[in-house]
Amino acid sequence: MLTLAAITGGVALVVTAALMPLAIRVGQRMNLVVQPRLFGRGAARITYLGGVVLGLVVISAGLIAGGYSRKLWAILAGMSLFLLIGYIDDRFSPTGIPIKVKFPLQLAVSAGVWFGGLALPGDGPVEAIFAIFLLTGGVNAFNLLDNMDGIAGSSFLGSGIGLAALMIFAGDSFLTPLAAALAGAALGFLFFNFRRGRAYLGDSGSLSAGFLVSALALEAGSQFGPGWRMVAPVAILSVPATDAWVALLSRALHRIPVFQGGTDHISHRLVFIGLTSQAAAVIHGLASVAAAAGVLFAVGTRPELLLAVVGSFALGGMLLLTLKQHDHGPLPFKRRLIWIIGMTLLAAMLLSVAPALSAASRLNRARRLMVEGGAALRSADTAVARVKFDQAGNWAGKAKEDLGSPVTAPARLIPFVGSNLDAVEALADGAELMSRAAVEATRALDAFPATENGVAAGLSQGAIDLESWAQAEPQLRRAASLAADSVSAASSTRGLLVPAIGRARDEFISQGTSLRDGLSGAYATSRILPVFFGKDSPRSWFLVIQNPVELRATGGFLGAFGILRAEGGRLVLESLESNIELPVPAGGVGAPPEYVERYDRFQPRTTWSNVNMTADFPTAAGLMLDLWREGTGESLNGVIAVDAVGLNNLLKVVGPSQHPLAGTVNSDNFLPLALNQVYIDYPNKEDRVDFLLDIARDVWTRLLEGDFRDTTAMVPAIGQSVSGRHLQMFVPEVQEDVEAAGLSGALDPVVGEDFVLVVGQNAAGNKIDYYARREISYGVEVDDEGRISGQLEVVVSNHAPNGLPSNVAGPYLPEDPAGLNRSYLSVYSPRTTRVKTAEVDGFVSGVESHVEKGFNVVSRFLEVLPGKTGSLELDLEGGRMAQGEYRLQVRRQPNLYADDFVLRVRLPNRTVVTAATEGLEVEGNYVTWTGKLSSDKEFFIRYDSSV
């Protein structure tokens, strides 16, 4: 790459030097000249085509040597447009293009290049605004710098050399030739401009080359992490930036028009103290190289050095501002005092930026170490993982120290800046706590010796290593507590945040919540397992297998049941039978009053197939235990329920099952076979039941024996079963831990949050739910006072084909058509929500209203013929959210096919979303989400209505 840069720069030098004499003759002959007006230039008429030559040579070099890159072509397009704008401005000098036209044009070109090639994934409005104004500002700063022979050319030469080095370091083979070409062309141009200018850059050269340097500086900033990425291009552009603010501020202090030309630039000040114009040009060139070199050094060492580069030039500019000028007298004492106080305050503010940027960089390093630690943990290398997590905590701690520095105090007084500093400090606190939680988790894993099949403390011959779990329990408890504190710390900040910080916080909260829940589940598991496996005394568990083709609230009707016996850490499947064998007590059992009021008409207290019509699994499980005790006289200790999807997930772990009639049954064909094909192939119920029981017995037997064909599938398979509620447990002794592990299936209202749960139950007595699909749309509007209203629509589609056997399509009732989907549809919402109107298939309809487990529930039978759709639409009026927040829990019913869910939230007008759950799409005051309800969802939106 160095060779390519040298060749490109050399060719650009030769071609520019060769074309310059021709450009001078053409310019003078065609009167393409300007009358020099600025100090230090000759009195002859000089052509401005030098800039045209330089621009065309660099653009050509980029096209030839740069290859194809969207980034490169965007920069070349922008440079070409600035070359054209500058040429038109030169051609019609002295009036040129009016500033009210030229400046918007420059902004438009800069915006086009940014969005067309320079923007990085995840860049938001703040990054865009910064980039567009940096590009436009850099262009005009270089234009102002072209005030004396050799000054701009030397600056472009120095910047080109420095940027080429930066691009080589970054390994950018597309932009390196472009930077080298700028250096070579600038040197070729200086042969005709350095001593007695025979050609000028003009606006065409200063604007186009200035844009190129600014664009390359912006791209060089991408080598740095958050925060520093915006400082790096400013550091590279230190020479033109310092010259611009020195000249403009000098004019403002002397109360003369800031856009009026003058001899107050750095070059003029250097000449006034006795230097030659050539010496001033050399200083500009060397300073440009030094600025880029400082950035290059910061890339390889510490990004904080970027502030040293910017600060050095700022200090030099302040000193130069005090030098004698040709046309400005001394400042009055009062204005001089105001200037000193103002610059002191500004310096204090700038000093406070250093710790913030340093903290952002250290947090970024901590995040990378956490990712590396997670990778090591997944590879079972706990030693490396612990080191990585420990290092991440150290870097997060250093970030907290940075933000606790006294020099950040001035910045905290500024509302917007202060809220962002608080957010970064909260992230640092959260990151440190999370790293400590991860370290504790690795210590917990050390308690588990690896087994031959790679599963630590897993089931083997029906037994589990309870001793290891007992040793790991204290570490898991601390890890879960630290993770919870971590998420709490990161969630504590409020106020308007810049997108980069807002995204970082949202990402941390999202990932941290997932890790917190996982660690809480692991700790809860360490408390559940000794009870479940009968460590201290024998336990007996009621095993329920639910079938979703005839849907019930908790996953499906009870298709099969079994008894699991546990003692001394060993678990045995004593029996697994069809629901035909379930005992039916004549007198029924007791139930909570709200359960009786809602479901007694379906006889659930004497009918096993309807006992789980409640969406609260602990209630259903308690009734199952009562029914078993009344029917058999035996008291069981709890219930474990798995549906067909959960059973299919277990097949992924234990591997295929061989059946004498169906052949190989695996996770790819089990669901279609078990839930549909067997009903067609085996009209006789006993044959069908035998097939399903054979598969279930084989899977459970091999699972308890520890016969795992794919150990890597265990964690995701169990995770999918738990998150999708395909595996649920009721263990009264440790039910709080069961809930913490995500296994309870309990309905648990949260005050101050919105809630949606849609439950469908088969009321046609057929198996047609295999062909059913559901779509749920929820539109919410939040008013200025935080009150919510919404429209919820549930659409049920019946895809049942013609010709299905009666044991699938029915009818159960003689008057029903075959294939009818009759669903007892219920919508759960907070107690603060009321239904204003309801429509079924577009017509106003009545609904049942009940209260269950702290929720309002409205229900309606919905009938859908094969090939048709039906809908239930509710107009809802809800309660009031916390000011500036909207929270929603969407709970899924464990069914065969995950529901499609669409969320649309309209926030009050003139609000800005400051934080939102990852995955939410924000457009103004509208927030949306579309996806599958494969698990419960929690949505959180924080917004600021003060703008």
Side-chain angles (χ1 to χ4, degrees):
M1 197 177 296
L2 180 61
T3 303
L4 177 63
I7 293 173
T8 307
V11 171
L13 164 63
V14 172
V15 172
T16 303
L19 290 177
M20 285 304 300
L22 177 61
I24 293 170
R25 289 195 297 272
V26 171
Q28 291 176 343
R29 181 171 299 178
M30 298 182 66
N31 201 34
L32 302 177
V33 296
V34 293
Q35 293 291 344
R37 301 183 304 273
L38 299 180
F39 176 85
R41 295 194 171 183
R45 287 156 34 101
I46 309 296
T47 182
Y48 49 77
L49 290 184
V52 174
V53 171
L54 183 145
L56 291 176
V57 167
V58 174
I59 292 170
S60 300
L63 290 171
I64 296 170
Y68 177 76
S69 160
R70 181 178 177 182
K71 201 181 304 179
L72 170 67
W73 284 67
I75 293 174
L76 291 177
M79 187 177 179
S80 301
L81 289 171
F82 272 106
L83 182 65
L84 178 61
I85 292 170
Y87 176 78
I88 295 173
D89 207 29
D90 287 332
R91 185 72 180 85
F92 295 98
S93 181
T95 57
I97 304 175
I99 188 67
K100 64 176 70 174
V101 176
K102 182 163 62 174
F103 190 64
L105 275 175
Q106 293 175 344
L107 287 174
V109 173
S110 299
V113 173
W114 167 252
F115 290 110
L118 294 184
L120 296 177
D123 281 341
V126 169
E127 289 87 355
I129 292 171
F130 170 80
I132 292 167
F133 276 94
L134 181 127
L135 290 171
T136 308
V139 163
N140 288 285
F142 273 110
N143 188 234
L144 291 172
L145 194 67
D146 188 20
N147 51 63
M148 186 182 293
D149 288 345
I151 300 297
S154 297
S155 299
F156 286 134
L157 172 60
S159 295
I161 293 171
L163 286 167
L166 276 166
M167 294 301 141
I168 291 172
F169 183 84
D172 195 323
S173 60
F174 296 106
L175 298 183
T176 299
L178 199 59
L182 174 65
L187 182 57
F189 167 77
L190 283 173
F191 291 156
F192 302 87
N193 180 260
F194 187 70
R195 187 170 293 276
R196 279 186 312 226
R198 289 182 286 160
Y200 290 162
L201 284 174
D203 283 355
S204 56
S206 61
L207 294 183
S208 60
F211 171 79
L212 175 59
V213 172
S214 303
L216 293 178
L218 195 63
E219 179 58 25
S222 63
Q223 299 177 58
F224 294 87
W228 299 113
R229 180 186 167 199
M230 293 187 181
V231 180
V234 175
I236 293 171
L237 297 174
S238 289
V239 172
T242 303
D243 178 76
W245 75 257
V246 164
L248 298 178
L249 184 59
S250 176
R251 295 168 196 175
L253 290 172
H254 287 88
R255 296 181 179 175
I256 62 175
V258 293
F259 293 110
Q260 173 182 308
T263 57
D264 45 13
H265 290 272
I266 292 175
S267 55
H268 302 131
R269 296 170 190 271
L270 293 175
V271 170
F272 288 149
I273 63 174
L275 297 180
T276 64
S277 61
Q278 290 76 32
V282 170
I283 289 174
H284 277 71
L286 293 175
S288 298
V289 173
V295 174
L296 181 60
F297 189 61
V299 174
T301 53
R302 295 174 62 89
E304 292 87 346
L305 293 174
L306 293 173
L307 290 174
V309 175
V310 175
S312 298
F313 278 90
L315 180 61
M318 292 175 65
L319 293 174
L320 289 168
L321 197 61
T322 64
L323 295 179
K324 179 183 176 182
Q325 300 162 78
H326 180 67
D327 52 2
H328 294 168
L331 282 175
F333 174 77
K334 184 178 180 181
R335 256 183 280 166
R336 195 180 309 167
L337 182 62
I338 293 173
W339 157 249
I340 293 172
I341 294 173
M343 290 305 294
T344 302
L345 291 174
L346 179 61
M349 290 295 181
L350 291 175
L351 281 174
S352 69
V353 172
L357 293 175
S358 176
S361 177
R362 286 170 168 170
L363 279 176
N364 195 42
R365 186 173 297 186
R367 184 188 64 81
R368 290 198 302 270
L369 286 166
M370 287 291 288
V371 171
E372 293 171 6
L377 201 57
R378 285 190 293 274
S379 301
D381 194 342
T382 55
V384 171
R386 187 178 301 124
V387 170
K388 296 289 185 183
F389 292 144
D390 194 49
Q391 290 175 343
N394 290 336
W395 282 109
K398 291 177 181 178
K400 283 176 60 179
E401 293 175 6
D402 287 336
L403 293 165
S405 169
V407 297
T408 63
R412 291 183 185 273
L413 300 176
I414 306 174
F416 175 73
V417 176
S419 64
N420 280 275
L421 285 174
D422 290 342
V424 176
E425 188 170 20
L427 277 176
D429 194 23
E432 185 180 31
L433 289 168
M434 190 59 78
S435 66
R436 288 168 56 193
V439 169
E440 291 294 335
T442 62
R443 289 174 178 159
L445 287 176
D446 286 342
F448 298 99
T451 59
E452 292 181 3
N453 60 6
V455 180
L459 278 166
S460 177
Q461 300 300 316
I464 197 168
D465 182 4
L466 291 177
E467 188 60 36
S468 292
W469 280 100
Q471 292 176 15
E473 188 265 346
Q475 284 84 15
L476 290 172
R477 182 179 66 251
R478 286 194 292 270
S481 176
L482 287 167
D485 291 343
S486 167
V487 175
S488 242
S491 305
S492 63
T493 54
R494 301 183 64 88
L496 188 62
L497 303 180
V498 298
I501 294 177
R503 284 194 300 273
R505 183 182 68 175
D506 294 346
E507 181 180 351
F508 181 88
I509 292 174
S510 175
Q511 295 176 352
T513 300
S514 177
L515 183 57
R516 176 201 65 191
D517 294 345
L519 290 172
S520 296
Y523 169 57
T525 300
S526 72
R527 292 175 54 81
I528 295 168
L529 288 177
V531 175
F532 188 72
F533 280 86
K535 179 183 178 183
D536 300 321
S537 61
R539 301 292 199 285
S540 297
W541 309 106
F542 189 56
L543 173 63
V544 174
I545 298 179
Q546 303 182 100
N547 192 333
V549 297
E550 190 172 333
L551 198 57
R552 294 293 184 270
T554 63
F557 81 104
L558 275 63
F561 74 99
I563 301 298
L564 290 167
R565 305 293 185 185
E567 185 174 4
R570 185 174 297 279
L571 192 66
V572 177
L573 178 64
E574 182 178 272
S575 64
L576 187 62
E577 305 293 339
S578 164
N579 60 2
I580 301 171
E581 307 298 328
L582 283 165
V584 181
V589 295
E594 62 182 25
Y595 181 93
V596 172
E597 179 184 350
R598 205 169 162 219
Y599 301 110
D600 238 27
R601 55 183 160 149
F602 304 110
Q603 301 177 338
R605 294 189 287 156
T606 57
T607 307
W608 281 94
S609 61
N610 289 342
V611 70
N612 57 341
M613 289 187 69
T614 173
D616 185 66
F617 182 75
T619 298
L623 289 171
M624 292 177 196
L625 294 179
D626 291 343
L627 284 169
W628 181 264
R629 185 180 62 252
E630 290 297 316
T632 66
E634 180 185 18
S635 294
L636 302 177
N637 298 103
V639 180
I640 176 171
V642 62
D643 64 12
V645 177
L647 199 59
N648 191 61
N649 287 334
L650 293 179
L651 266 172
K652 297 176 183 177
V653 178
V654 301
S657 178
Q658 299 298 324
H659 191 272
L661 297 179
T664 301
V665 179
N666 54 36
S667 59
D668 294 326
N669 63 10
F670 172 71
L671 291 176
L673 273 174
L675 303 184
N676 185 247
Q677 195 62 40
V678 293
Y679 289 95
I680 298 172
D681 293 344
Y682 304 116
N684 184 280
K685 182 175 182 178
E686 286 73 17
D687 294 339
R688 184 167 64 246
V689 168
D690 287 344
F691 169 82
L692 295 173
L693 288 177
D694 287 344
I695 301 298
R697 287 191 189 103
D698 180 61
V699 169
W700 276 97
T701 300
R702 287 190 289 143
L703 178 71
L704 294 178
E705 290 177 352
D707 182 10
F708 306 136
R709 301 291 177 86
D710 185 1
T711 58
T712 62
M714 174 173 285
V715 172
I718 294 176
Q720 291 167 14
S721 295
V722 173
S723 64
R725 298 193 186 279
H726 303 297
L727 175 65
Q728 300 173 90
M729 293 180 67
F730 177 61
V731 184
E733 292 176 68
V734 286
Q735 191 58 25
E736 287 187 7
D737 295 304
V738 172
E739 187 163 349
L743 289 163
S744 74
L747 283 172
D748 187 15
V750 178
V751 177
E753 293 190 2
D754 201 4
F755 181 90
V756 169
L757 166 62
V758 175
V759 170
Q761 321 225 33
N762 187 303
N766 55 25
K767 306 299 182 283
I768 218 68
D769 286 322
Y770 181 81
Y771 300 100
R773 306 290 188 277
R774 283 199 316 226
E775 300 174 11
I776 305 170
S777 300
Y778 188 36
V780 185
E781 184 169 344
V782 185
D783 70 11
D784 292 334
E785 297 181 358
R787 288 188 297 263
I788 63 172
S789 57
Q791 292 77 40
L792 186 138
E793 182 180 25
V794 183
V795 177
V796 178
S797 304
N798 185 352
H799 297 278
N802 294 324
L804 291 171
S806 60
N807 61 0
V808 176
Y812 177 72
L813 299 175
E815 62 271 20
D816 286 349
L820 174 70
N821 183 309
R822 180 186 291 117
S823 180
Y824 183 57
L825 209 58
S826 300
V827 176
Y828 291 71
S829 59
R831 294 284 285 129
T832 53
T833 299
R834 72 178 185 89
V835 177
K836 294 163 59 178
T837 60
E839 293 184 3
V840 173
D841 295 335
F843 296 95
V844 176
S845 174
V847 290
E848 302 174 10
S849 294
H850 296 93
V851 174
E852 183 176 359
K853 303 300 292 184
F855 292 96
N856 284 341
V857 189
V858 294
S859 304
R860 179 68 159 78
F861 285 94
L862 185 68
E863 296 186 346
V864 185
L865 293 171
K868 304 294 183 180
T869 61
S871 66
L872 170 64
E873 186 172 354
L874 303 176
D875 189 6
L876 304 171
E877 183 177 73
R880 180 177 295 180
M881 299 285 105
Q883 191 63 36
E885 291 185 355
Y886 175 72
R887 295 178 181 269
L888 169 67
Q889 287 191 36
V890 183
R891 173 154 165 176
R892 83 177 300 261
Q893 178 184 12
N895 49 7
L896 183 57
Y897 307 104
D899 296 333
D900 291 308
F901 184 75
V902 177
L903 173 66
R904 302 181 184 90
V905 180
R906 180 186 176 188
L907 301 171
N909 294 328
R910 300 178 301 281
T911 60
V912 175
V913 174
T914 59
T917 303
E918 185 179 8
L920 286 171
E921 295 185 7
V922 179
E923 186 173 347
N925 63 323
Y926 287 87
V927 184
T928 59
W929 186 87
T930 302
K932 295 281 188 182
L933 279 184
S934 55
S935 62
D936 294 350
K937 299 291 182 184
E938 292 188 14
F939 298 103
F940 167 68
I941 303 168
R942 180 177 290 156
Y943 59 93
D944 188 346
S945 57
S946 62
V947 294

